[in-house]
Amino acid sequence: MKSVTKAYRPISWPTKGAGGDTGSWRTHRPVVDIRICTKCQFCWVYCPEAVIDRHEITIDYRYCKGCGVCALECPTGAITMEKEE
Amino acid sequence: MTTSIKQLPDIEQVLSGNGACGGCPATMALRIVGKALGSNAIMLLTPSCSVASMGMTPKLGYNWPAINICFATAGSSGSGIAHALEIMQEKGRLQGEPPTVFCWVGDGGTYDIGFQALSAAAERNDNMIFFCYNNEAYSNTGVQRSGATPRGSFTTTTPAGKRQPKKNMALLMLEHNIPYVATATVAYPGDLYDKVVKAKSIPGLKYIEILAPCYLGWQFDMPETVQMSRMAVRSGAWLLWEADNGKISFNNPSSLIISGKKDAAPVDEYLMKQGRFKRLLKGPDADQRIAEIQGDIDREIAFMRERAKITF
Ligand SMILES: Cc1ncc(C[n+]2csc(CCOP(=O)(O)OP(=O)(O)O)c2C)c(N)n1
Ligand code: SF4
Ligand code: SF4
Ligand code: SF4
Ligand SMILES: [Mg+2]
């Protein structure tokens, strides 16, 4: 029998972007006003996508889906959801 | 003391850019679970949203060996792997800390389709953590009713609202005499984290159920996942508790409701935020239907308060 090559094995490897560049799903983009931010990390802990840097409070827009959870949970109102172009 | 947000570890086992909906509560919960389990674990999944969220071959959105198994078999498949690991250890073919075996299963795969296999694995007390992420319906196939769907909820198979109350699955697991049972939800990540860390350190079968408010099935706005989770707890519709060797203790803020120090918020506000209830509560019998749902919650609180008093 012909051997099955690696390409045909039904095996996947842990990789970012397994669902594609999910940032393209966004209709609104979370924008952080770092002057108001107290670095409480609430946005970081609730972001389902793990795209927020917990120390810098910067967002990886390549994968951020724009769900708005971070903006709603932010206790200081430092995150606004801005409409994508 | 509950672990604070800033004390949670950096490790990310759920990778950015997976296939889940934005605001997905299952992914949110799994991310915190990953921080507690670390990378030395083996994951089993039954057909569900969390499988659809894994992404497409050859990429995988979770950083564990992840095995997709048949719907009914999470309990038995987990047992098989747990036993295999034990034998490998006995034969010296597995050195160091053995991986944690965990099942990551929806409410359909836990309450209904996988119940028998889970019950059997629990009765054998096989060494794994069984997680049920409970979005109170079969979400991945377009929201059908499950044993976890609460009374009054619209699903595609209960177009006039479900007539029966949900069952208390965590309590059923407790009655299997397993060493650890806990409930959690996404609004309280420190509580969830601590429960998983504890479960990891206990041999035998551990059951952890996580309420996962799904905007698609429950019909609320996508950013409100955490808010809905918080409201479920504050209204008493979801109770946070854990049981070590059968001894139940309640966690904050549910402990305040149970002890009577704080009243549960009336359920109306929680219901009216969700389209799955709202669309059914517009009729002439709305008051009676809300009273029925409130009755289910009150009964559950009273029952769990009394059940917790029984210890051996
Ligand atoms: C034996 C079998 N029956 C039905 C299906 C179709 N199916 C795939 S996912 C799913 C829903 C699972 O519901 P649940 O376990 O609650 O997980 P959720 O989708 O809500 O995350 C169903 C019915 C299947 N894959 N296998
Ligand atoms: S939740 Fe708001 S205040 Fe807290 S770290 Fe995030 S942006 Fe800053
Ligand atoms: S919008 Fe959603 S995905 Fe994007 S950073 Fe905020 S919580 Fe994360
Ligand atoms: S339907 Fe609900 S549980 Fe399923 S992926 Fe979407 S948000 Fe998550
Ligand atoms: Mg479900």
Side-chain angles (χ1 to χ4, degrees):
Chain A
M1 209 178 82
K2 214 174 124 196
S3 72
V4 182
T5 61
K6 191 170 186 231
Y8 293 107
R9 279 184 209 154
I11 291 178
S12 297
W13 299 96
T15 317
K16 277 191 180 184
D21 282 350
T22 51
S24 67
W25 299 3
R26 265 196 324 271
T27 57
H28 290 73
R29 151 189 303 248
V31 177
V32 183
D33 184 344
I34 209 72
R35 289 166 306 175
I36 307 175
C37 171
T38 56
K39 306 229 161 148
C40 67
Q41 303 188 0
F42 281 28
C43 54
W44 168 80
V45 81
Y46 290 124
C47 171
E49 215 47 43
V51 293
I52 304 182
D53 182 300
R54 74 188 300 183
H55 302 297
E56 303 299 325
I57 316 296
T58 49
I59 295 169
D60 182 353
Y61 292 114
R62 181 166 177 192
Y63 299 120
C64 161
K65 291 170 182 165
C67 67
V69 167
C70 55
L72 196 61
E73 293 309 319
C74 173
T76 65
I79 306 180
T80 42
M81 299 301 291
E82 292 179 6
K83 205 168 178 335
E84 289 284 352
E85 296 296 306
Chain B
M1 274 293 279
T2 313
T3 300
S4 74
I5 291 174
K6 287 187 179 171
Q7 289 167 332
L8 291 173
D10 287 335
I11 186 169
E12 298 291 357
Q13 289 294 111
V14 172
L15 306 178
S16 308
N18 56 64
C21 301
C24 175
T27 316
M28 200 182 271
L30 185 58
R31 200 180 146 232
I32 302 301
V33 166
K35 290 181 183 297
L37 290 181
S39 58
N40 189 22
I42 297 171
M43 179 186 206
L44 292 103
L45 304 103
T46 60
S48 61
C49 279
S50 284
V51 168
S53 306
M54 293 168 95
M56 272 166 313
T57 313
K59 294 179 179 175
L60 166 65
Y62 308 143
N63 190 27
W64 286 291
I67 312 168
N68 291 335
I69 50 167
C70 295
F71 219 150
T73 66
S76 37
S77 303
S79 293
I81 292 178
H83 283 279
L85 290 174
E86 275 163 27
I87 288 165
M88 283 169 73
Q89 246 186 333
E90 263 171 39
K91 294 191 170 172
R93 282 161 56 195
L94 180 68
Q95 308 291 334
E97 187 71 21
T100 306
V101 178
F102 76 105
C103 301
W104 184 258
V105 182
D107 49 298
T110 306
Y111 281 61
D112 306 338
I113 300 179
F115 187 58
Q116 181 274 333
L118 168 58
S119 176
E123 190 269 333
R124 290 189 302 267
N125 199 23
D126 286 332
N127 191 22
M128 72 185 95
I129 309 179
F130 193 105
F131 291 97
C132 170
Y133 70 90
N134 177 5
N135 52 20
E136 299 191 331
Y138 291 79
S139 287
N140 188 50
T141 39
V143 194
Q144 292 80 34
R145 101 200 258 292
S146 78
T149 306
R151 194 203 299 267
S153 175
F154 165 89
T155 65
T156 54
T157 46
T158 54
K162 191 180 165 188
R163 291 286 175 183
Q164 303 81 6
K166 62 181 179 179
K167 56 183 175 186
N168 189 336
M169 184 70 200
L171 185 67
L172 289 171
M173 293 315 295
L174 181 78
E175 306 303 354
H176 282 73
N177 300 315
I178 53 176
Y180 189 70
V181 178
T183 64
T185 184
V186 291
Y188 304 90
D191 176 70
L192 170 59
Y193 174 83
D194 290 345
K195 286 169 175 170
V196 181
V197 168
K198 190 187 278 183
K200 194 181 155 182
S201 73
I202 301 171
L205 196 137
K206 291 79 62 181
Y207 177 81
I208 300 181
E209 183 166 336
I210 309 166
L211 184 73
C214 157
Y215 82 97
L216 198 107
W218 298 21
Q219 303 170 8
F220 56 82
D221 291 338
M222 201 196 278
E224 294 174 336
T225 303
V226 178
Q227 306 265 324
M228 217 52 65
S229 160
R230 214 174 270 130
M231 285 172 91
V233 172
R234 288 185 182 162
S235 66
W238 188 251
L239 296 173
L240 298 175
W241 57 272
E242 63 190 317
D244 282 293
N245 290 316
K247 190 178 181 312
I248 299 175
S249 51
F250 296 93
N251 313 102
N252 269 335
S254 300
S255 49
L256 301 172
I257 296 173
I258 292 285
S259 65
K261 284 190 187 131
K262 209 174 164 188
D263 287 339
V267 77
D268 311 39
E269 198 195 339
Y270 172 63
L271 299 182
M272 289 308 182
K273 273 264 190 190
Q274 303 169 50
R276 63 172 177 162
F277 292 111
K278 201 163 62 186
R279 59 197 289 171
L280 302 163
L281 294 179
K282 284 183 182 151
D285 62 346
D287 285 349
Q288 190 205 326
R289 299 195 92 176
I290 293 177
E292 272 173 13
I293 298 168
Q294 185 71 64
D296 288 343
I297 293 171
D298 294 347
R299 179 193 165 278
E300 205 65 27
I301 291 173
F303 183 85
M304 288 304 292
R305 182 187 288 132
E306 292 309 310
R307 178 61 186 82
K309 291 177 187 163
I310 306 172
T311 50
F312 291 97

